[in-house]
Amino acid sequence: MTLNFLKKNRFTLAALTTIVIATAGISGAQARDWQRDGAARFEKMDADGDGQVTFAEFQTRMLEQFNKVDANEDSIVTTAEIEETADGRVGRRMIKNLVAMFDIDRDGEVSLEELTNRQQKLFAVADFDDSGSITQDELPRERFASMRGGFGKMRGKK
C-alpha cells in the first residue's frame, strides 16, 4: 500500500478507528457516536491537550489495545485473539478485514512491527501539512468543511 493510495483512500483511518472500537469494550451506539464526533476522537488522542497529536499520542491507544488483545504476550495478534476479546461485538468478516489491513506479510497475524509500520503510514497521511503532528484542522471532515464551493475554493476566497 503506497502513501499515494492512502492519501486518496482515507478509509484506512476509519478502519483504524474501527479496530480500536472493536477491542475497547464500548457499545455499538457509543461507537457510532464516537466515530461521528471528530472533536471527541481528537481530544481522546491529544493526551496532553496541546491541540496537536504527536505520533506517540497517535500510537498509544492502539498499542494499549494491541497489548490487551495479545493474550499470550508474544507481540503477535491473531484473528482468534481478536475474536475472543471482541466477544461477538464485531463480525468475523470485519475482523479478518482489519487483520488483513495491518498484516503486511499476509500470514494471518499482525505483529507489533506490522502494526507500527501501518500506524506510521496512517499518521503520515493524517499529518496533511507534514509538520510532525496532527491538528484538528487536518482531520478530513474539518479540512473538507473549510472548503467553500467545492475543491479548489477555500473559505474566504472567491
Side-chain angles (χ1 to χ4, degrees):
M1 195 176 302
T2 67
L3 187 59
N4 287 335
F5 177 82
L6 288 172
K7 285 192 181 219
K8 291 178 184 174
N9 297 287
R10 299 207 179 249
F11 295 110
T12 52
L13 291 174
L16 177 64
T17 300
T18 304
I19 200 168
V20 171
I21 289 169
T23 58
I26 61 177
S27 74
Q30 288 171 317
R32 284 188 296 279
D33 291 343
W34 192 74
Q35 282 180 316
R36 277 189 230 126
D37 188 357
R41 246 188 354 252
F42 187 84
E43 287 174 20
K44 282 185 178 274
M45 285 190 290
D46 185 15
D48 61 9
D50 67 353
Q52 298 180 357
V53 174
T54 64
F55 180 69
E57 289 172 318
F58 180 80
Q59 187 180 38
T60 298
R61 177 86 172 150
M62 184 63 91
L63 286 177
E64 288 171 359
Q65 296 307 317
F66 183 91
N67 292 330
K68 200 180 290 186
V69 172
D70 184 16
N72 61 0
E73 299 178 356
D74 63 351
S75 296
I76 296 173
V77 169
T78 64
T79 302
E81 286 175 317
I82 296 171
E83 286 174 353
E84 186 176 310
T85 305
D87 292 330
R89 290 182 302 245
V90 179
R92 187 172 282 219
R93 184 176 177 184
M94 179 180 267
I95 291 171
K96 285 183 180 182
N97 289 340
L98 293 171
V99 168
M101 186 179 107
F102 290 94
D103 183 15
I104 296 169
D105 63 9
R106 303 292 184 223
D107 64 355
E109 303 172 334
V110 178
S111 69
L112 186 56
E113 292 81 22
E114 289 172 317
L115 177 71
T116 301
N117 176 285
R118 288 298 189 225
Q119 285 183 299
Q120 289 169 335
K121 290 178 181 180
L122 291 168
F123 185 83
V125 170
D127 182 14
F128 199 70
D129 65 0
D130 294 325
S131 66
S133 63
I134 303 167
T135 62
Q136 196 160 353
D137 291 340
E138 290 177 292
L139 298 177
R141 183 187 318 167
E142 297 301 321
R143 260 200 330 275
F144 296 132
S146 70
M147 294 180 174
R148 189 169 132 196
F151 293 102
K153 294 184 179 180
M154 301 301 287
R155 180 176 39 205
K157 294 184 179 180
K158 293 182 181 183

